[in-house]
Amino acid sequence: MRNWWQQAVIYQIYPRSFADSNGDGIGDLRGIIGKLDYLAGTLGVDAIWCGPVYPSPQVDFGYDITDHTAIDPIFGTLDDFDALVTAAHARGIRVIIDLVPNHTSDRHPWFVESRSAPDSPKRDWYVWADPLPGGLPPSNWTSEQGGSTWEFDEPTGQYYLHSFHRTQPDLNWRSPRLRAAMLDVVRFWLDRGVDGFRIDVLHMIAKDPELTDNPPRPDATPNPADLQHPDYDTQWHVHDRMHPDLYGYLAEIRDLLEEYSRRTGQERIAIGEVEPMPWDSWTRFLGSELDGVHFTFNFNFIESPWHAAGLRASIGAQEAALPRGAWPNYVLSNHDRPRLATRNGPRSARLAALLLLTLRGTPTLYNGDELGLEDLEIPREEWLDPLGRDQVRGPMPWTSSRNGGFDSSPADASPWLPVPTRYLERSVERQLADPGSILNLYRRLLAFRRTSPALLRGEYRPLDCPPDCLAYLRSTPEQTLAVLLNLGAENATVDVPRPGHALLSGDRTPRRRFVVAAHEGLIVQLEPEVP
Ligand code: NOJ
Ligand code: CA
């Protein structure tokens, strides 16, 4: 028997864009509550990860927090949050929330106090450093938003570190009092019943205390699968993150989760959000005794080239890298990166559904991918996010009427981001009425996955197949499935090791050879092995 998070399909909700309950054009907690029946019943996911809803000036859309233990009024109240947890749990849905340990907003009272004087009792809650001779910043580190990570604070004569926007000063996890304060934050939400945390940029919470310069990266090429400022890639980010002290800080968080899991009988988890990195660094977050995070989001998969060989290599690499007892996971989109249907073309979306939901491990599905949504196209001068990530954060189209039923605003109001006609054409309402829609494919796959021992816990074994195809077996003693995916533009013929019949499709004739249409896939149930 596996733990809940190993069986679960996690659904990422971007709260601003999911559902607006009060007509101000911004999604909110009551909006999410109103869609729980969709999530639990219509779609059939097991857990939600709800992005940050804490009070924030929204410079980084909630990743710039001013109070870790409250709810921003644009999203609702603490009562709404409690109601969300209760209503989700009543439907068997777990709730994972963001923990943002690396930085706060510069308007957080902690930072206001830290900044007030060099001898402030909270000075060391943030990373402050003296200028180099000539007043230069303490190191050459560059930020994802462009420019230096250091901001000079005139009144106190020191620089503060901000790995992201200058209004997001980095916290100093070397301070025991800061760590204690952050563990109190974790306790606060555990006491309200949350099932886990997605830990934002976990790899960044400890930096080189000597502030050594990062080496230059002369061959810098911007990464098309990520949205970062070109400055960011001009150096190798070796000293501004990944300092080994962070594993000890992570262990403190995990110990607290274990304490709650034991005491309440409800297993609470930690998911690490770390940038793509070599597998041996990536697995280190699991802890030497699997006492770190439960898993680390697999962004290497997002960055895998979208062809059969690339995906096969990426799957095999994760399988090979995981230590004994560790559990794989797969991610294909999120709120920071171009959507999969934009990255890999709209024809990739159905195949991506089959892939994500049939591999060994926990899938995380980004809201809107179940509709095959592509990015919004917003001209640069209208970007609200400095990195243009608004384009991957478009409102969910629930119906085909005005604003996609995302909000209930008066006729002259509009949502915080536009809902284009092509989104209305892909609305939940319209796709539910079309048996061949991608949403109905997701629904069938999710329903099947729940009852399939091979998909929930079977082994993964790649199968020989034509070059444009990706084929693998998922098997337990009671069930063997072959998943046949054709990434090519022509039909392909794939053989399976024993006779079997296609599932979730009309033709159930047992055979050993299957024709898989271009950009499509099949799940084949093999007949039991004759001893
Ligand atoms: C990762 C989050 O996913 C992203 O949206 C945010 O801008 C950075 N971390 C900083 O918190
Ligand atoms: Ca609202």
Side-chain angles (χ1 to χ4, degrees):
M1 193 55 198
R2 300 238 166 240
N3 296 321
W4 71 260
W5 54 275
Q6 295 174 310
Q7 308 247 10
V9 175
I10 301 174
Y11 184 87
Q12 178 189 353
I13 292 179
Y14 192 71
R16 282 183 86 83
S17 297
F18 194 62
D20 171 23
S21 73
N22 62 352
D24 66 354
I26 298 177
D28 46 54
L29 292 171
R30 289 272 156 203
I32 300 174
I33 294 173
K35 298 299 181 191
L36 284 173
D37 286 334
Y38 165 78
L39 296 171
T42 311
L43 186 59
V45 295
D46 311 282
I48 54 173
W49 153 33
C50 175
V53 287
Y54 313 109
S56 160
Q58 305 289 329
V59 174
D60 192 13
F61 294 103
Y63 285 96
D64 46 330
I65 297 172
T66 55
D67 183 350
H68 292 97
T69 54
I71 301 291
D72 193 300
I74 61 169
F75 295 118
T77 62
L78 265 179
D79 284 345
D80 295 335
F81 183 85
D82 292 342
L84 171 62
V85 173
T86 306
H89 285 171
R91 289 165 179 78
I93 292 201
R94 318 274 171 155
V95 180
I96 297 164
I97 60 172
D98 260 277
L99 177 70
V100 185
N102 183 67
H103 44 265
T104 67
S105 163
D106 60 351
R107 299 198 211 160
H108 195 297
W110 294 349
F111 187 69
V112 173
E113 194 182 333
S114 180
R115 187 178 208 167
S116 64
D119 59 354
S120 145
K122 287 202 175 61
R123 189 67 168 182
D124 75 338
W125 286 35
Y126 291 83
V127 183
W128 289 96
D130 290 331
L132 292 182
L136 292 174
S139 72
N140 72 348
W141 302 348
T142 56
S143 114
E144 297 208 12
Q145 322 256 348
S148 168
T149 55
W150 295 100
E151 182 77 7
F152 189 60
D153 182 59
E154 198 80 51
T156 58
Q158 281 193 311
Y159 281 88
Y160 69 82
L161 181 68
H162 59 89
S163 294
F164 293 88
H165 195 264
R166 74 185 152 66
T167 63
Q168 290 169 287
D170 281 36
L171 289 163
N172 174 24
W173 277 70
R174 295 207 161 82
S175 156
R177 289 199 308 129
L178 177 274
R179 292 207 298 282
M182 287 305 283
L183 290 179
D184 279 346
V185 169
V186 174
R187 272 188 203 99
F188 178 89
W189 295 106
L190 290 173
D191 286 336
R192 302 196 101 84
V194 304
D195 299 281
F197 298 88
R198 172 264 191 199
I199 309 182
D200 191 64
V201 290
L202 173 61
H203 59 301
M204 295 177 77
I205 66 173
K207 295 96 177 157
D208 172 23
E210 305 297 322
L211 311 179
T212 309
D213 276 355
N214 282 328
R217 183 179 172 185
D219 63 336
T221 38
N223 176 354
D226 208 345
L227 296 171
Q228 285 151 339
H229 191 279
D231 280 358
Y232 177 77
D233 284 319
T234 58
Q235 56 187 224
W236 295 106
H237 290 273
V238 289
H239 297 300
D240 52 353
R241 59 199 59 203
M242 296 292 284
H243 188 278
D245 286 352
L246 74 86
Y247 306 106
Y249 310 147
L250 172 59
E252 292 181 35
I253 299 175
R254 176 64 185 259
D255 285 348
L256 187 56
L257 298 179
E258 287 304 308
E259 181 195 316
Y260 270 77
S261 303
R262 267 195 310 274
R263 188 145 52 77
T264 62
Q266 176 193 347
E267 197 190 6
R268 321 291 181 109
I269 66 162
I271 304 173
E273 191 242 3
V274 306
E275 66 187 8
M277 57 178 69
W279 292 102
D280 54 342
S281 309
W282 184 78
T283 52
R284 201 162 163 200
F285 294 92
L286 297 168
S288 52
E289 306 290 327
L290 297 186
D291 50 0
V293 292
H294 292 73
F295 63 88
T296 306
F297 275 141
N298 178 0
F299 291 163
N300 284 316
F301 200 55
I302 291 195
E303 297 201 352
S304 163
W306 193 257
H307 53 60
L311 293 169
R312 189 181 299 113
S314 179
I315 298 162
Q318 182 184 206
E319 288 277 344
L322 287 174
R324 180 187 286 273
W327 187 245
N329 83 93
Y330 291 94
V331 188
L332 280 175
S333 282
N334 66 28
H335 63 295
D336 291 329
R337 291 157 175 273
R339 280 187 180 272
L340 80 93
T342 299
R343 277 193 336 263
N344 306 320
R347 300 204 64 176
S348 66
R350 292 176 67 84
L351 196 132
L354 277 153
L355 178 67
L356 185 68
L357 297 177
T358 60
L359 286 169
R360 188 177 87 92
T362 301
T364 301
L365 169 61
Y366 178 43
N367 65 198
D369 271 10
E370 79 271 33
L371 306 176
L373 294 186
E374 294 172 60
D375 291 350
L376 300 175
E377 283 167 21
I378 304 179
R380 180 176 273 267
E381 57 282 6
E382 290 171 26
W383 287 358
L384 301 173
D385 174 68
L387 300 174
R389 292 171 299 180
D390 336 6
Q391 300 178 101
V392 311
R393 301 171 176 176
M396 277 286 283
W398 295 99
T399 68
S400 304
S401 58
R402 199 181 64 88
N403 296 341
F406 164 72
D407 66 11
S408 51
S409 56
D412 57 348
S414 44
W416 77 287
L417 287 174
V419 187
T421 314
R422 60 199 169 88
Y423 270 38
L424 302 183
E425 286 160 3
R426 297 197 152 270
S427 72
V428 171
E429 179 185 50
R430 192 171 285 195
Q431 293 206 37
L432 285 177
D434 170 7
S437 68
I438 185 168
L439 175 58
N440 276 318
L441 173 65
Y442 267 100
R443 295 177 66 211
R444 285 198 299 277
L445 279 168
L446 284 160
F448 175 65
R449 193 179 190 281
R450 287 197 156 172
T451 59
S452 163
L455 290 188
L456 287 176
R457 54 179 173 274
E459 286 172 11
Y460 163 87
R461 188 152 64 81
L463 280 180
D464 285 339
C465 60
D468 277 346
C469 292
L470 177 64
Y472 44 91
L473 290 184
R474 295 294 318 279
S475 54
T476 58
E478 64 267 59
Q479 185 182 49
T480 301
L481 301 175
V483 179
L484 316 178
L485 305 173
N486 181 2
L487 285 99
E490 312 278 339
N491 290 356
T493 305
V494 186
D495 291 336
V496 293
R498 299 195 298 279
H501 64 272
L503 298 169
L504 312 176
S505 72
D507 181 5
R508 293 178 66 91
T509 322
R511 55 180 99 233
R512 281 207 48 190
R513 172 160 289 186
F514 290 84
V515 176
V516 188
H519 306 290
E520 283 287 347
L522 287 177
I523 302 180
V524 173
Q525 173 142 334
L526 301 190
E527 288 174 0
E529 212 158 2
V530 185

